[in-house]
């Protein structure tokens, strides 16, 4: 099996020993994105703004892989405060239409750089 590294300069550069995404066959495994502004590599402020930034970062990597949000089959959402769940749903509705991807929302104690939200995804590109 051939693995292809996917990168986008419109998303934050990896802050560790990993790739933004890896394509294997027609499946793309996207690494977790936190709400870093790719131009400054700084966190954006406010939970809703952080959620939007994460979706924008994921969108950039999906597009670099030749896909879009309609190709996402699984989305994992990590939150430091599950009381923001309704906000995540509202922001997510701006980016996705039915059929929605499978999804998990997981409460965690902390995220890199003090982020309040992180997401990763799996795409299948036909």
């Amino acid at each position: 099996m051939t693995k292809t590294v996917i990168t986008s300069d419109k998303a934050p550069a990896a802050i560790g020993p990993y790739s933004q995404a890896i394509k294997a066959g027609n499946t793309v495994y996207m690494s977790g994105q936190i709400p870093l502004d790719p131009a400054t590599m700084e966190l954006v402020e406010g939970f809703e703004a952080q959620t939007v930034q994460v979706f924008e970062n994921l969108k950039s990597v999906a597009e670099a892989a030749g896909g879009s949000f309609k190709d996402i089959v699984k989305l994992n959402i990590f939150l430091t405060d599950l009381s923001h769940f309704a906000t995540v749903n509202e922001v997510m509705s701006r980016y996705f239409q039915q059929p929605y991807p499978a999804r998990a929302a997981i409460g965690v104690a902390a995220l890199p750089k003090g982020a309040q939200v992180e997401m990763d995804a799996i795409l299948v590109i036909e």
Side-chain angles (χ1 to χ4, degrees):
M1 171 183 58
T2 302
K3 294 191 309 185
T4 304
V5 175
I6 305 296
T7 58
S8 171
D9 59 0
K10 296 178 182 174
I15 56 174
Y18 61 90
S19 301
Q20 289 176 330
I22 294 289
K23 185 174 184 181
N26 66 342
T27 304
V28 178
Y29 300 90
M30 296 172 58
S31 292
Q33 287 287 331
I34 60 173
L36 293 175
D37 178 325
T40 64
M41 291 298 288
E42 297 293 328
L43 283 178
V44 298
E45 294 295 322
F47 183 79
E48 183 174 345
Q50 286 197 4
T51 304
V52 167
Q53 187 65 57
V54 169
F55 278 121
E56 290 296 320
N57 293 345
L58 288 172
K59 180 179 174 187
S60 295
V61 177
E63 289 172 351
S68 69
F69 277 2
K70 69 178 187 228
D71 300 309
I72 293 178
V73 296
K74 179 69 164 96
L75 180 68
N76 291 314
I77 303 169
F78 305 93
L79 300 167
T80 58
D81 183 347
L82 287 173
S83 72
H84 292 300
F85 191 75
T87 302
V88 169
N89 283 338
E90 192 279 319
V91 174
M92 185 174 169
S93 72
R94 301 177 205 167
Y95 289 90
F96 290 88
Q97 296 178 358
Q98 291 187 357
Y100 301 118
R103 184 181 86 172
I106 303 154
V108 297
L111 290 167
K113 296 194 173 272
Q116 297 178 68
V117 59
E118 179 175 358
M119 297 181 208
D120 66 18
I122 299 171
L123 292 77
V124 175
I125 301 173
E126 297 183 28

